[in-house]
Amino acid sequence: MTQLQLGVAREVITPTVGGCLYGYYPNLFSTAVNDDLTATAFFFRQGETAALMVSLTVCELQTALASRICAQIEAQCGIPAAHCLLCATHTHSAPNVAGTIGWGDVDTDYCETVFVPAILRAVERAAGALQPVQMAVAAGESRVGINRRELTMDNAVALGQNPWGCFNPKMTILSFCNAEGRVIANMIHYGAHGTAAGPNTEITRDWSGIMTDAVEAASGGITAFFNGTMGDVGPRISNGKTVGDLRYVRELGDVAARDALAIWQTIGEYTDVPLHVSSKELPIPQKARMQKEKAAARYAQCVKGGVGSAELMRAHLESVLRSYENGYTETATFPLPQAVLMLGDIAFASFPFEIFSEIGLRCDQAVTDKAVCILSNVNGFEGYFVTEDALCRGGYEVDLFLYTHLQPPADNADYHLVKQTVQHINETKGE
């Protein structure tokens, strides 16, 4: 087996103070920098196989923008665009590079002058720093996250803390050392929203930044965070909510740092591992669009100029009505792009959605000889991907699941997603 090579590099992507922050409402402007935002590139090569994972400390990434960046990386470094994974950590205290209806437009000036150039520099530097490495893995539990679909006494789902709700407490750390035995890089995988800071005006990586800094200081290797099944998981902050301020960032970040350091200290022997990469489109079943009469009745009740999910709903109904005028043809499925990147016994599977935690747990259980690490918000953002049982209670995430696309996914789309992801992972193992 040809030895795995890894090059790692980091660039700062902090914006100028005064720009819009993304994740709560369109007109939230930054007033200070609490900690720098970063793009950290992991360039893997083994023989003729090459792959890239970039940790971006932003909330989420517009799909069209991600596709353009991946194409530029392919032209610049020769990595197939389909093997490039641009992974957003999901801090809400970063510039708008997603452009979701209801949450404001993409900050194009920031993208063109800071964000995209920094990513390309990080990737180019990582490609130029390739060296033989061995890998070690450690895993443990952290209670930094908690299910955030709080059920109120009115039988409604609100964003809060649900202590009996599903979430995956597993934290996984991949560590890489060079030929001299020196740790050069670490990757931390866990699933939880980066909303401990709340609708603050300070730029910050949120709680995961404190965690990665701690492991980096202890190990001496560049360390980055990769977010997992975080669609229904918020930060477990002590105010009992899912949002706070910088005090809660520091408080929860310290807890995450202690957990990650305890796990990292259990790292065992570094060994040679194989690299396998595969990309494909998963055909996910979808429902018919809303009937014209129903859409018209709902649209008549909408108020233009709303924010968040209210504006998303209005825009969705408008697109439904328009589709009946322009001869739109419905399809039974939609293509969901997915990359599987396998490093030894770890299988990363990517999604351009915020994935519910149960989906990842089911995938991990079904793949018996690999640890499955789901990656949310990779190479774009197409809304939430919820479980069938969540549809019964509704809530914010369900609204985005139903109204982000003209034809919403089928009620049992999570079953098909799990089944096809497991199949993709098993196929990748055989390559």
Side-chain angles (χ1 to χ4, degrees):
M1 179 176 66
T2 305
Q3 189 166 11
L4 177 68
Q5 292 186 305
L6 170 64
V8 61
R10 172 179 292 152
E11 290 282 337
V12 172
I13 57 171
T14 307
T16 301
V17 169
C20 277
L21 300 177
Y22 174 78
Y24 293 103
Y25 40 87
N27 296 313
L28 181 66
F29 300 96
S30 65
T31 59
V33 177
N34 182 71
D35 52 285
D36 276 326
L37 307 181
T38 56
T40 308
F42 292 73
F43 190 119
F44 297 99
R45 183 178 293 280
Q46 190 171 61
E48 299 299 315
T49 302
L52 176 73
M53 294 178 68
V54 185
S55 173
L56 300 167
T57 57
V58 294
C59 189
E60 50 215 10
L61 198 59
Q62 183 192 58
T63 302
L65 176 62
S67 297
R68 176 163 68 88
I69 296 171
C70 288
Q72 289 178 268
I73 291 171
E74 180 173 8
Q76 176 178 295
C77 298
I79 300 180
H83 291 183
C84 298
L85 280 64
L86 306 180
C87 309
T89 65
H90 208 72
T91 173
H92 276 43
S93 302
N96 187 347
V97 295
T100 312
I101 294 173
W103 283 268
D105 297 327
V106 169
D107 187 338
T108 55
D109 181 65
Y110 166 75
C111 286
E112 299 308 317
T113 61
V114 178
F115 187 63
V116 175
I119 293 172
L120 296 177
R121 286 196 306 271
V123 173
E124 186 173 27
R125 288 178 51 221
L130 284 170
Q131 58 182 306
V133 294
Q134 293 183 313
M135 188 183 85
V137 179
E141 289 196 353
S142 173
R143 297 287 164 175
V144 165
I146 186 170
N147 187 286
R148 70 175 196 165
R149 288 172 54 77
E150 182 177 325
L151 186 62
T152 71
M153 292 303 294
D154 296 325
N155 201 33
V157 172
L159 296 179
Q161 295 188 14
N162 179 1
W164 57 83
C166 182
F167 97 102
N168 187 357
K170 186 177 181 180
M171 180 180 287
T172 303
I173 300 179
L174 284 66
S175 186
F176 302 89
C177 74
N178 62 13
E180 290 75 41
R182 179 175 63 86
V183 174
I184 65 165
N186 305 289
M187 304 167 69
I188 305 176
H189 177 269
Y190 188 76
H193 267 73
T195 55
N200 64 314
T201 58
E202 299 90 357
I203 295 164
T204 175
R205 293 167 294 165
D206 214 273
W207 62 268
S208 64
I210 295 174
M211 173 183 68
T212 54
D213 287 350
V215 173
E216 188 163 304
S219 68
I222 294 176
T223 303
F225 174 56
F226 293 86
N227 215 331
T229 49
M230 40 67 70
D232 54 349
V233 181
R236 192 187 295 258
I237 53 181
S238 60
N239 65 1
K241 302 177 182 179
T242 193
V243 295
D245 53 35
L246 286 180
R247 293 171 297 172
Y248 296 100
V249 170
R250 291 187 285 268
E251 179 182 89
L252 192 67
D254 286 343
V255 174
R258 288 196 297 270
D259 291 345
L261 286 170
I263 293 168
W264 187 83
Q265 288 166 1
T266 68
I267 287 281
E269 181 182 3
Y270 290 83
T271 61
D272 293 325
V273 296
L275 168 68
H276 298 286
V277 191
S278 173
S279 61
K280 65 187 300 187
E281 291 185 338
L282 311 183
I284 304 300
Q286 58 185 358
K287 296 191 288 188
R289 59 192 157 156
M290 190 182 297
Q291 292 182 345
K292 182 178 180 181
E293 294 75 15
K294 183 177 180 180
R298 289 192 177 184
Y299 185 71
Q301 299 175 349
C302 291
V303 177
K304 191 171 183 178
V307 298
S309 55
E311 177 62 12
L312 179 68
M313 164 69 88
R314 188 201 66 78
H316 172 77
L317 295 171
E318 191 174 75
S319 67
V320 170
L321 293 173
R322 193 182 306 116
S323 74
Y324 282 99
E325 299 172 357
N326 62 21
Y328 173 81
T329 301
E330 294 183 355
T331 58
T333 63
F334 71 92
L336 188 155
Q338 181 181 78
V340 169
L341 191 157
M342 198 169 295
L343 288 161
D345 291 332
I346 302 295
F348 290 106
S350 72
F351 298 90
F353 289 87
E354 295 185 37
I355 301 292
F356 268 34
S357 51
E358 182 187 301
I359 293 172
L361 289 167
R362 287 158 65 185
C363 290
D364 193 33
Q365 181 185 49
V367 180
T368 57
D369 60 341
K370 302 287 181 183
V372 177
C373 293
I374 298 298
L375 297 170
S376 290
N377 293 335
V378 178
N379 292 350
F381 176 63
E382 299 296 331
Y384 285 81
F385 211 107
V386 309
T387 51
E388 188 171 4
D389 60 336
L391 296 172
C392 300
R393 292 201 183 275
Y396 166 75
E397 303 94 346
V398 171
D399 286 346
L400 267 68
F401 177 79
L402 294 175
Y403 304 123
T404 297
H405 300 283
L406 186 60
Q407 289 184 245
D411 290 348
N412 66 343
D414 61 324
Y415 160 72
H416 294 275
L417 186 66
V418 170
K419 184 177 180 180
Q420 293 184 53
T421 297
V422 170
Q423 181 181 352
H424 191 189
I425 292 171
N426 287 333
E427 291 171 352
T428 305
K429 289 188 297 183
E431 291 184 353

